[in-house]
Every structure is written in C-alpha cells, then in structure tokens.
Amino acid sequence: MAEQTLALMSDIHLRASLTMLRAMANADLRGILPDIDVPTLVLHGELDARSPLAVGEELHTKIPASKLVVLPGVGHLSNIEAADAFNFEVRTFLRSLSSPIGP
C-alpha cells in the first residue's frame, strides 16, 4: 500500500497542491459545525499525528448528530492503513441510517 500511495503522490502538481493546502490550513470552519444537521460519521485514527484525536473529539462534540469511531493503531490515512476496518465502519454507519422500504 505504501508503494501505491507514493506512486499517487509523486504525480501531484506542486503549485496546485500548495495552493490547496494553504487554503485548507487557513479555513477555520469550526463555527459552522453546530449547523450541520445530517447524521455524520467522524472516523479518526487513534495514532493520527497530523490531526490528533482531540480534533476528532471536537468535531464529534460540535456536530450535533455525529458518531465518533476511533480506529485503533491507525494514523492519518486510515482509509489506506486499515481499509477493511474503515469500510466496515462506513458501511455500518450507512446501514444504521437506512430504513426498510415497504410494510
């Protein structure tokens, strides 16, 4: 998985990536989190050094209809590092939202 990730990252356009990263770093959207009115899954890697667990906990606390799931032993790229666990949690969350159709 590391080789595939590095291959994808090596094809990144530096100037465009820097612009995107600066915009994300400067965007502070914490004030609108309480306005999110849809069920929200906050999936967070336990070992995420880029966004410590406190970030996921803050998101969960401020988003009213959120569920926090911490993936143990996983870092920032949880969807890659633990794809099966990530997919399981997403599917479980989505299934919890769907209601049976019909009588």
Side-chain angles (χ1 to χ4, degrees):
M1 197 54 71
E3 289 176 11
Q4 289 176 336
T5 302
L6 288 173
L8 286 171
M9 293 174 81
S10 68
D11 196 31
I12 291 174
H13 299 278
L14 184 60
R15 290 180 112 176
S17 293
L18 287 175
T19 300
M20 177 190 66
L21 290 170
R22 281 189 190 107
M24 289 190 317
N26 292 328
D28 184 356
L29 302 174
R30 288 177 286 186
I32 66 167
L33 295 177
D35 298 332
I36 297 174
D37 64 355
V38 295
T40 303
L41 176 62
V42 178
L43 263 177
H44 207 90
E46 173 191 34
L47 304 177
D48 189 339
R50 168 62 185 86
S51 295
L53 184 53
V55 172
E57 291 168 341
E58 180 181 11
L59 289 171
H60 171 57
T61 299
K62 292 189 175 181
I63 300 172
S66 68
K67 176 183 178 182
L68 173 64
V69 174
V70 179
L71 297 174
V74 177
H76 191 66
L77 298 176
S78 58
N79 62 319
I80 296 171
E81 295 174 50
D84 290 340
F86 182 95
N87 290 336
F88 173 81
E89 295 299 343
V90 170
R91 287 184 180 112
T92 300
F93 179 74
L94 292 174
R95 285 185 188 115
S96 76
L97 302 178
S98 61
S99 58
I101 299 174

